[in-house]
Amino acid sequence: MPSGITPEARPCSARPTIIGTRLLDRPQVAVGYHFGTKADLVRAIVRKHTAEMERIRDRMVAEAGESDDPRDWIACMVRPAAEHLAALGNPTWFARFSAQVTTDPALRDIFAEDALSSPSMVKTLERLKRCLPELPPEVRAERSAMMRQLMVHMNAERERALADGTATPRQNWHDAATGMIDAIVGIWMAPVTPAS
């Protein structure tokens, strides 16, 4: 798209995320007038993007089959967002929107409800759990939170850098996802230091 075109002039399909991202910081009245509640706006944006990511994840889950390699299931969690963001072009706003929403206690559950409840995500999480080593519950919860932080905030950081035209550690979204998958596999497979 030519650089002189403003976000407002982009095709309508791109506008809900742009408008939504800008309105999250606006008074509740403006959000209510255009979208219902703030929660409705967030839900609409998340559903629009997760539907696209689910199509990618469905394909990947089918390809993974009955794999017992955690890398395959971690890839089913990481790559759909990266492929989706790559397909959107530059600039995109969804990864930064996701980071903002997941840190807001009032909105986080809405995001998680849609992002984690799809059949392919449920299957991915079940298969990943089967492949992981035995871990104490508190270590499993801690590493799950680390994985979530990497998935949300590394995508947001890359998206911001691309929008700003600054250098990124990886050349493209596919390679960035590969690096994230490597890191997450390392987190899950790391030894557990016994409590002192």
Side-chain angles (χ1 to χ4, degrees):
M1 182 167 294
S3 61
I5 296 179
T6 65
E8 289 76 12
R10 293 181 195 279
C12 290
S13 64
R15 295 173 98 187
T17 302
I18 297 166
I19 294 167
T21 302
R22 291 181 181 166
L23 284 178
L24 281 177
D25 293 325
R26 298 284 194 266
Q28 216 43 29
V29 174
V31 174
Y33 176 79
H34 293 288
F35 296 96
T37 67
K38 189 174 185 178
D40 292 336
L41 169 62
V42 169
R43 192 172 286 109
I45 293 169
V46 170
R47 284 184 178 160
K48 176 187 182 301
H49 289 277
T50 54
E52 295 298 321
M53 290 184 279
E54 275 310 297
R55 283 192 262 287
I56 298 165
R57 186 173 291 109
D58 285 340
R59 181 194 79 230
M60 294 183 69
V61 166
E63 290 169 0
E66 298 297 320
S67 174
D68 60 359
D69 184 350
R71 179 176 295 279
D72 291 335
W73 301 107
I74 291 168
C76 288
M77 296 182 73
V78 172
R79 286 209 189 278
E83 283 188 33
H84 175 61
L85 291 166
L88 291 175
N90 186 37
T92 58
W93 290 266
F94 184 65
R96 290 171 283 177
F97 168 83
S98 299
Q100 183 177 355
V101 168
T102 58
T103 58
D104 183 327
L107 301 174
R108 179 182 175 150
D109 289 344
I110 294 168
F111 187 89
E113 174 187 309
D114 282 339
L116 300 176
S117 64
S118 72
S120 64
M121 180 59 93
V122 170
K123 184 173 184 176
T124 297
L125 291 169
E126 287 172 356
R127 295 292 169 92
L128 176 60
K129 187 175 180 179
R130 285 191 220 165
C131 298
L132 295 175
E134 281 295 319
L135 296 168
E138 66 277 7
V139 173
R140 185 174 291 272
E142 180 180 59
R143 292 182 183 187
S144 180
M146 289 177 193
M147 176 176 67
R148 184 178 59 251
Q149 292 296 319
L150 277 174
M151 289 172 53
V152 170
H153 293 285
M154 290 303 294
N155 282 338
E157 182 62 23
R158 177 174 174 76
E159 183 184 69
R160 181 212 47 81
L162 291 172
D164 291 348
T166 57
T168 59
R170 302 285 182 136
Q171 183 176 350
N172 55 49
W173 281 104
H174 182 273
D175 293 350
T178 299
M180 199 181 320
I181 292 164
D182 290 344
I184 293 169
V185 169
I187 287 170
W188 281 111
M189 298 304 174
V192 177
T193 303
S196 49

